[in-house]
Amino acid sequence: MKRMILLASCLTAVMAAAGCGTENGDAGARTASAVEDAGTNTGTGTPLNAGLRLALPDTLGAGQYTRDATAPPPMTNGEAVQALITAGVGNPVLMNAVYRPAGDTGGALRIDGAYGALSDPAKARDTLLQILSKEDHSTPVERTARTILPAGATEPLVCQIVVEKKSTQAEVLAPVCAWTDTSTTARVLRSGGTGNEIIGARIDLDAYAAQVDRIRTEIRVR
């Protein structure tokens, strides 16, 4: 009976705090979780996707986008890493890449994210977005972002349109969508090219969210 009570207590701790121990015993180690693809945490609405990571391939969308090997890697400084650790990301691994479409039209996709053990997924996502908005020199068009669940998707995206200030001082609109779960958080921004409109034009944020959902399926792996 004592053994059953102990096991039940451990399982409760796993579901509530993403683990009953760590993989290597270190204070900053990734939390071992018995919950994998368990759907959605009904308390927070956060998908429970333990053990996932981000992988950025050479191409996306069946070859529609190619990774730009010459693009400078953003978000690689120690300050960003420390900010994510403070936000509850254990052993964060930062990932970033720029993908350009065939013919270099339609706007490049910049993907930035991190994976690890996210004790507070929403806080990790918000911290990531704050870091990137400083790097992009971008500001949201509206105060509140939209939560969008694309058709066929089981996990929502948080999306908004931001204003990017370019080196030429021109301002353009850029759609942004981000996700978070207990293992990964990432943001996808479409920047430049004919796919972005000058201030005053309209961007179909729902269509963009559907595209980002497909990207999420490609780059979030075990």
Side-chain angles (χ1 to χ4, degrees):
M1 178 63 71
K2 291 182 179 180
R3 180 183 179 89
M4 292 178 64
I5 293 174
L6 179 61
L7 288 173
S9 299
C10 184
L11 180 58
T12 301
V14 167
M15 296 182 69
C20 253
T22 58
E23 290 181 341
N24 58 16
D26 295 335
R30 293 181 187 170
T31 303
S33 174
V35 183
E36 291 191 3
D37 290 335
T40 299
N41 184 325
T42 55
T44 64
T46 302
L48 296 175
N49 290 318
L52 297 178
R53 61 185 179 85
L54 300 176
L56 301 177
D58 292 334
T59 62
L60 287 175
Q64 291 182 332
Y65 289 86
T66 301
R67 185 169 181 171
D68 186 349
T70 66
M75 206 183 66
T76 56
N77 60 75
E79 185 178 343
V81 173
Q82 187 56 52
L84 289 169
I85 291 174
T86 302
V89 182
N91 286 349
V93 179
L94 278 59
M95 308 286 288
N96 50 71
V98 173
Y99 289 87
R100 302 197 182 279
D104 204 18
T105 59
L109 297 175
R110 172 177 163 178
I111 301 176
D112 297 270
Y115 65 90
L118 280 61
S119 62
D120 188 337
K123 185 176 182 180
R125 178 199 59 217
D126 293 345
T127 299
L128 176 71
L129 292 176
Q130 290 171 5
I131 293 169
L132 295 172
S133 67
K134 291 179 181 179
E135 293 192 356
D136 297 335
H137 303 289
S138 60
T139 55
V141 172
E142 296 182 354
R143 184 181 297 273
T144 304
R146 288 179 56 198
T147 298
I148 300 175
L149 183 66
T154 58
E155 300 172 35
L157 293 160
V158 173
C159 303
Q160 60 187 157
I161 297 173
V162 300
V163 179
E164 278 193 297
K165 182 174 280 294
K166 300 296 185 179
S167 57
T168 60
Q169 300 304 309
E171 291 184 338
V172 296
L173 298 179
V176 170
C177 284
W179 74 82
T180 192
D181 53 48
T182 54
S183 293
T184 73
T185 185
R187 186 204 72 168
V188 184
L189 177 146
R190 188 180 70 201
S191 177
T194 58
N196 285 51
E197 293 83 0
I198 301 300
I199 293 297
R202 181 180 181 275
I203 291 176
D204 188 340
L205 201 53
D206 292 284
Y208 183 68
Q211 180 184 17
V212 173
D213 180 51
R214 293 190 294 271
I215 292 172
R216 173 170 56 184
T217 301
E218 285 192 66
I219 71 173
R220 193 176 62 174
V221 300
R222 285 203 183 279

